[in-house]
Amino acid sequence: MSKKSLVIKVVKAQGVWSNSGASDDNRWMSAAISASWQALGRSGVNPPVGCVLISKDRQLLAVGRTGRGGVPHAEVDALQSLCDVGRSALKGGTAYVTLEPCAHQGKTPPCSDALIGAGIGRLVVAVQDPDQRVNGAGLSQIAAANIDIRLGVMQREAEELLLGFKNRLQKGKPFCSLKIATSMDGRVGLSDRKKRWLTGAPMRRYVHLLRSQNDAIVTGVGTVLSDDPRLNCRNEGIADDSPPIYVFDRLLRTPTTAKLFESQHKVTFFCGGSATHRRHNELMAAGALIVQLPDDPSGRPDVTAGMQYLGEQGVNHALVEAGPGLATSIIAADAVDRIYWTQSNHILGADSLAAIDNLGTEPLNEIAILPEKKYVQADYRVIGDDRLVTLNKSHLNSL
């Protein structure tokens, strides 16, 4: 059987590889995955990909990742960093890529052509590209050039970074994470609703990093009115990675003096049909974009429609930072794929604000009881004096 036909079989049967692996394949793929983390939240509509180039005698030559806004692709980024000696040393060497190289002409020429032209002798890929413009075509083209291929190395680890890209392609909406900061007894603030920090500075720095790894921050008007947040990235070195902000604001009550308008991006407001033309005009004059969504049964802008809009805008990862109102709506709409639940050492008492509002009997049964709706703990860590529990929708455990 030719290499080409064997790779086509691999494409159709996940987990079958076309050749035996080198002893250090996991080592170099791990380096490629580390590089792709640096592209997460920064690659625009494109997936965050990492690439490592190794010489024939197994020496590191170059590391690349998807560039800001998606250009260049990781393979091209790595190839462009090579000097003449490096390009010569790559002949017969190996390329490690976290996602199948593209084989179509988009903003850039096909990466499959670039790797073939570079003279590699072997390609190791973690994940086959779900994009129908690729989806095996890159592997087939490279196999036709008599280049050995191994598919599926560290696939699970690489797929973690591609969740948003795959979710948008397959479901038309971003991978949605909800961040909640509470006291030990699950409360988000005192009844006076005045802004107070629950978690300490180390946890807040972690949240700023988390923001930088998302393509959009979603919040509600209640949070804007009570906290007047900036929702940007204020850790040293990542200020330029602050993502665009989207606000669910049914009546467009956000004041034009809100700190959100300091964002380097245009702020988008999701409103309902009851918002006045005056508020439309005032917010647009302040530089905002207004998107009217259909109302849900409770009369609020429909969360599902908002997520679909984000998907149409090319958002792969969305992080929701909001108060009990929007948090409850987005959970009730079954729109949350992951929860980052931070917990401080405070005890606020029963008269303080709960993290989640009353769900009602029917939604409670749908969300909390059915196994497919369940959230499962995926990670636990201590950051400063606070705790972070990461919970995934149960279906993610099968990836």
Side-chain angles (χ1 to χ4, degrees):
M1 184 182 292
S2 69
K3 288 188 178 74
K4 179 177 180 181
S5 59
L6 186 55
V7 169
I8 292 174
K9 182 178 179 181
V10 170
V11 169
K12 293 180 179 178
Q14 293 289 341
V16 182
W17 300 337
S18 64
N19 66 307
S20 60
S23 60
D24 57 358
D25 277 352
N26 279 27
R27 171 194 178 191
W28 294 121
M29 184 58 76
S30 180
I33 292 171
S34 294
S36 67
W37 272 102
Q38 299 176 51
L40 185 63
R42 300 158 175 86
S43 59
V45 68
N46 286 350
V49 178
C51 175
V52 168
L53 302 177
I54 303 296
S55 66
K56 192 172 184 179
D57 61 353
R58 311 301 291 168
Q59 300 300 307
L60 175 63
L61 298 175
V63 179
R65 62 180 182 273
T66 310
R68 188 178 294 276
V71 179
H73 289 189
E75 300 92 326
V76 173
D77 184 45
L79 290 168
Q80 288 178 341
S81 71
L82 293 172
C83 62
D84 290 342
V85 174
R87 284 189 287 272
S88 178
L90 183 59
K91 303 292 184 183
T94 303
Y96 291 86
V97 190
T98 58
L99 184 68
E100 175 186 0
C102 65
H104 64 285
Q105 177 71 46
K107 292 182 180 179
T108 62
C111 291
S112 55
D113 288 346
L115 291 174
I116 293 169
I120 64 169
R122 187 166 177 262
L123 172 69
V124 180
V125 175
V127 180
Q128 183 177 324
D129 195 335
D131 191 329
Q132 291 304 309
R133 296 172 298 176
V134 186
N135 198 19
L139 296 176
S140 297
Q141 182 182 355
I142 290 171
N146 293 319
I147 295 170
D148 292 333
I149 294 177
R150 186 181 181 193
L151 174 64
V153 174
M154 298 189 71
Q155 177 177 339
R156 187 177 184 87
E157 293 83 351
E159 282 183 334
E160 165 65 25
L161 290 105
L162 299 168
L163 286 173
F165 178 66
K166 294 179 70 174
N167 208 73
R168 182 176 58 79
L169 287 182
Q170 295 170 357
K171 300 180 181 179
K173 58 184 181 179
F175 183 87
C176 179
S177 300
L178 172 64
K179 193 276 293 183
I180 299 177
T182 72
S183 61
M184 286 180 64
D185 51 346
R187 303 288 164 159
V188 295
L190 297 176
S191 57
D192 61 11
R193 296 182 179 269
K194 291 183 179 179
K195 181 177 181 178
R196 297 176 178 88
W197 293 114
L198 283 179
T199 54
M203 182 66 81
R204 295 199 294 273
R205 285 195 293 271
Y206 174 82
V207 171
H208 287 203
L209 175 63
L210 190 62
R211 289 173 182 170
S212 77
Q213 295 173 342
N214 281 267
D215 305 297
I217 302 295
V218 180
T219 193
V221 64
T223 297
V224 176
L225 295 177
S226 62
D227 295 347
D228 195 18
R230 289 184 174 87
L231 295 178
N232 58 358
C233 305
R234 297 192 290 278
N235 292 354
E236 185 176 356
I238 63 171
D240 290 340
D241 296 322
S242 299
I245 299 168
Y246 296 80
V247 184
F248 279 84
D249 185 353
R250 181 173 67 93
L251 299 175
L252 298 178
R253 292 186 292 149
T254 298
T256 56
T257 56
K259 292 176 182 175
L260 293 178
F261 288 105
E262 298 174 13
S263 172
Q264 60 195 353
H265 306 285
K266 186 182 289 289
V267 180
T268 301
F269 290 87
F270 293 137
C271 72
S274 300
T276 66
H277 289 295
R278 180 178 64 83
R279 291 302 296 150
H280 270 262
N281 294 336
E282 289 174 351
L283 288 174
M284 287 192 293
L289 176 66
I290 311 297
V291 176
Q292 183 174 326
L293 298 179
D295 291 340
D296 66 14
S298 65
R300 299 186 181 96
D302 186 73
V303 166
T304 300
M307 289 298 150
Q308 289 171 342
Y309 176 85
L310 292 179
E312 292 167 1
Q313 300 307 302
V315 173
N316 291 324
H317 286 267
L319 177 65
V320 179
E321 295 190 60
L326 182 58
T328 303
S329 294
I330 204 164
I331 288 176
D334 198 25
V336 178
D337 300 294
R338 173 171 292 166
I339 299 174
Y340 294 97
W341 196 296
T342 72
Q343 185 185 62
S344 74
N345 293 327
H346 301 87
I347 297 176
L348 300 186
D351 60 343
S352 54
L353 301 175
I356 305 298
D357 283 340
N358 186 3
L359 290 167
T361 303
E362 184 176 348
L364 181 62
N365 289 337
E366 290 294 316
I367 293 163
I369 304 302
L370 296 179
E372 65 270 20
K373 306 290 186 182
K374 186 177 169 185
Y375 291 93
V376 179
Q377 180 171 316
D379 187 45
Y380 171 85
R381 66 183 70 182
V382 176
I383 301 177
D385 293 328
D386 306 308
R387 292 158 298 284
L388 170 67
V389 179
T390 303
L391 302 124
N392 287 338
K393 207 61 168 295
S394 57
H395 73 85
L396 293 178
N397 291 339
S398 63
L399 294 178

